[in-house]
Amino acid sequence: MDGPTGVVFPATGDGRRSTTLLGRAVVADALRAVDPVGARSAEHETDWRHGYLGHFRRLVEAGLLSREAALTVARDGLAALHARMRYVAADGNEVALEEAFSLLDREPPLETATVTGAGPVERELSLPYRGQRLRGDDLRRRLDAWVDAGVVEPSCAEAVRAVQANPDWLDLRDQRIVVLGAGAEMGPLPSLLRWGGAVVAVDLPRPEIWRRLLRTAHRYGGRLHLPVRPGTGDDDAALAAGAGADLLHRLPQAARWLRDLEGRLVLGNYVYADGATNVRVATAVDALTVHLGRHRPDAALAFLATPTDVYAVPAEAVAHAERGYAARGLARRSLRLLSGGRLLHRNYPPGADPGINDSLVPQQGPNYALAKRLQRWRAAAARDAGATVSFTVAPPTRTRSVLRNRALAAAYAGAHRFGIEVFEPATSNTLMAALLVHDLRTGGGPAQEHPWRDEAYAAAHGGLWRVPYAPRSALGLAVLLGLGGARA
């Protein structure tokens, strides 16, 4: 058939499926009950591709009025997205998103193959960092250094130390940790298998992905459960050719397979796609989350949040940034003067509590922002409903998707000049896996009085929250410095 299938944007009167109309409408609906003026502003935005930044900031600001305001924004945003998005089956039948799971799938149900690794099981937390593997006192010193430099929040270091002090927490054989986007560089799969865990891997039916995952599974001591087509053989070549579940195009088939798995599920969301497809796949995962929640109410949820978003941050982070701003007075004034006031704005108004850290990057676009905000909304709504939720702000990381964007790659190369540490993928995904373990063993971490504090807890933002300058006001300079460094 012609046209997209699976989870799709709603069609307009002329048959187009507009990402701009969808994004603008969802943001407006999320704001409407709490900030009607902001909702009207979003509805009337004529340049959504470039003007979305202020509206996504307003979503956070509106939620600061109260806990209930934040939850209203989250619930209404989720409802707006689910009410609009559609599902097109392989035969062309188009239905509302929530009706997708009632469609009969012409493909046979997926089966489960299990691969048990032959490697050792580790019961000591260690972290790869700049060519070394940190453990014990070396790891503790690195955590202290990150806190002192403002690279991670103190609660992040405390959570990692708790895992370090309780090595039995790493034994996750009592959980079935579903890694959606199992091949993602930022995902926890390698660490979970290293610690002997039971990992349920979900990714596209692409043999190159599964060959890599199978090599990882054999290297460590955990167990990897993977979806396979009926009749798939049990050798690695056959498994790589027959494995995979397509969340975007065959959502009912994937849901049925996950629903029937034994054990307590931890649904980990690590999916990513480029452009508008990112919203589609993020919506597919959210629909799957809602569906599984009805059938598996004991399921826990796990999310990795991007650091390049808007967050409310604690007063201590504001004070840290202000000390740095005061210490760089002469250099800052000179650059601001030369740039006509466009560069190096202060990160926060003095004494802000909480502060608003706006690290949105225009180059990532409104589709990326909506896909990531959707995950934040789901985390807040699910936690309020009583689910165990692991939500962690991850550090800036040199992933393949970032390095493909020349401007972002250059900005990351120059970021250290402003006190921002950009992590290597192995460091990031191990650190995030340790925080996932902490959250699973502590019921989602300590209870907080407001969703913004849940998001700030254990954040590993790489320094974006505590640097002296508003990130976008230093972005262009970081790009220039990064390009210069690359040429050198």
Side-chain angles (χ1 to χ4, degrees):
M1 61 167 291
D2 295 330
T5 61
V7 177
V8 298
F9 293 95
T12 59
D14 60 3
R16 293 183 305 116
R17 297 187 185 272
S18 170
T19 62
T20 291
L21 293 179
L22 183 280
R24 199 165 53 198
V26 168
V27 170
D29 280 359
L31 285 169
R32 199 172 313 280
V34 175
D35 180 5
V37 173
R40 287 194 296 274
S41 177
E43 286 175 321
H44 293 107
E45 175 62 63
T46 58
D47 185 9
W48 188 250
R49 177 63 185 83
H50 300 96
Y52 76 95
L53 299 166
H55 304 292
F56 275 83
R57 177 182 177 120
R58 197 151 185 167
L59 288 166
V60 174
E61 293 173 332
L64 293 180
L65 294 171
S66 66
R67 173 185 177 83
E68 191 53 41
L71 291 171
T72 297
V73 169
R75 294 183 189 121
D76 289 357
L78 292 168
L81 190 81
H82 281 252
R84 287 177 170 81
M85 293 294 277
R86 309 284 291 174
Y87 187 85
V88 178
D91 61 4
N93 183 26
E94 180 171 334
V95 298
L97 182 62
E98 65 178 14
E99 296 175 21
F101 300 99
S102 63
L103 293 177
L104 292 176
D105 199 312
R106 295 181 178 181
E107 293 294 319
L110 294 167
E111 297 179 351
T112 304
T114 300
V115 175
T116 301
V121 171
E122 295 191 8
R123 284 290 181 268
E124 180 186 20
L125 180 63
S126 63
L127 187 72
Y129 186 70
R130 297 183 177 177
Q132 303 179 60
R133 191 139 200 122
L134 306 181
R135 47 175 49 89
D137 288 340
D138 289 337
L139 177 54
R140 283 185 277 272
R141 282 190 288 269
R142 172 44 45 198
L143 293 170
D144 289 341
W146 277 337
V147 171
D148 291 343
V151 171
V152 305
E153 291 304 288
S155 53
C156 175
E158 291 166 7
V160 176
R161 290 191 197 101
V163 176
Q164 195 179 17
N166 295 275
D168 57 303
W169 285 4
L170 298 176
D171 184 355
L172 293 170
R173 288 175 295 179
D174 58 325
Q175 314 276 338
R176 291 292 178 272
I177 301 180
V178 181
V179 181
L180 304 176
E185 287 183 273
M186 289 293 290
L189 183 141
S191 292
L192 298 174
L193 292 175
R194 178 190 294 273
W195 300 328
V199 178
V200 178
V202 178
D203 214 316
L204 292 168
R206 294 178 181 169
E208 67 274 15
I209 294 175
W210 294 99
R211 282 193 289 268
R212 177 162 48 87
L213 294 176
L214 288 166
R215 286 195 296 269
T216 302
H218 290 306
R219 188 181 310 135
Y220 300 127
R223 304 185 77 192
L224 184 68
H225 305 286
L226 52 156
V228 296
R229 294 193 300 269
T232 298
D234 57 5
D235 61 279
D236 279 7
L239 289 174
D246 190 336
L247 297 173
L248 181 57
H249 299 101
R250 306 208 70 87
L251 183 57
Q253 183 191 46
R256 187 182 305 117
W257 180 70
L258 287 169
R259 197 172 61 224
D260 294 340
L261 290 176
E262 295 181 356
R264 189 218 183 185
L265 296 185
V266 179
L267 197 64
N269 186 345
Y270 306 97
V271 299
Y272 171 79
D274 290 330
T277 306
N278 201 22
V279 176
R280 294 173 62 200
V281 73
T283 302
V285 171
D286 197 63
L288 175 67
T289 301
V290 173
H291 177 75
L292 287 178
R294 296 191 183 113
H295 294 269
R296 308 289 294 267
D298 64 333
L301 305 181
F303 302 89
L304 282 190
T306 176
T308 52
D309 204 339
V310 184
Y311 296 96
V313 305
E316 310 90 84
V318 174
H320 188 129
E322 280 300 294
R323 290 193 294 271
Y325 189 81
R328 301 186 187 189
L330 181 59
R332 164 177 46 80
R333 284 193 295 270
S334 299
L335 277 169
R336 288 210 60 178
L337 184 63
L338 289 170
S339 69
R342 292 189 301 273
L343 294 177
L344 305 186
H345 303 162
R346 69 193 322 149
N347 211 347
Y348 309 102
D353 183 14
I356 299 291
N357 180 264
D358 186 348
S359 294
L360 282 167
V361 176
Q363 289 85 347
Q364 290 182 306
N367 290 318
Y368 180 81
L370 181 59
K372 299 307 291 184
R373 194 60 59 93
L374 166 62
Q375 295 172 9
R376 291 172 63 179
W377 288 341
R378 179 57 61 196
R383 187 183 287 110
D384 184 64
T388 296
V389 175
S390 176
F391 178 97
T392 311
V393 177
T397 304
R398 293 183 183 89
T399 59
R400 288 186 295 269
S401 63
V402 166
L403 297 180
R404 282 199 302 267
N405 185 308
R406 188 166 177 263
L408 280 178
Y412 275 23
H416 66 282
R417 306 287 188 93
F418 298 92
I420 296 167
E421 181 166 347
V422 179
F423 284 44
E424 294 301 323
T427 303
S428 283
N429 63 42
T430 305
L431 179 64
M432 296 298 101
L435 293 172
L436 171 62
V437 168
H438 172 271
D439 291 344
L440 293 177
R441 296 309 188 200
T442 60
Q448 308 284 349
E449 70 273 20
H450 194 288
W452 81 258
R453 292 193 177 276
D454 288 314
E455 294 183 340
Y457 179 77
H461 45 72
L464 287 166
W465 292 9
R466 290 177 176 250
V467 291
Y469 309 122
R472 277 204 304 282
S473 75
L475 179 65
L477 197 54
V479 169
L480 289 175
L481 292 170
L483 289 172
R487 285 195 295 269

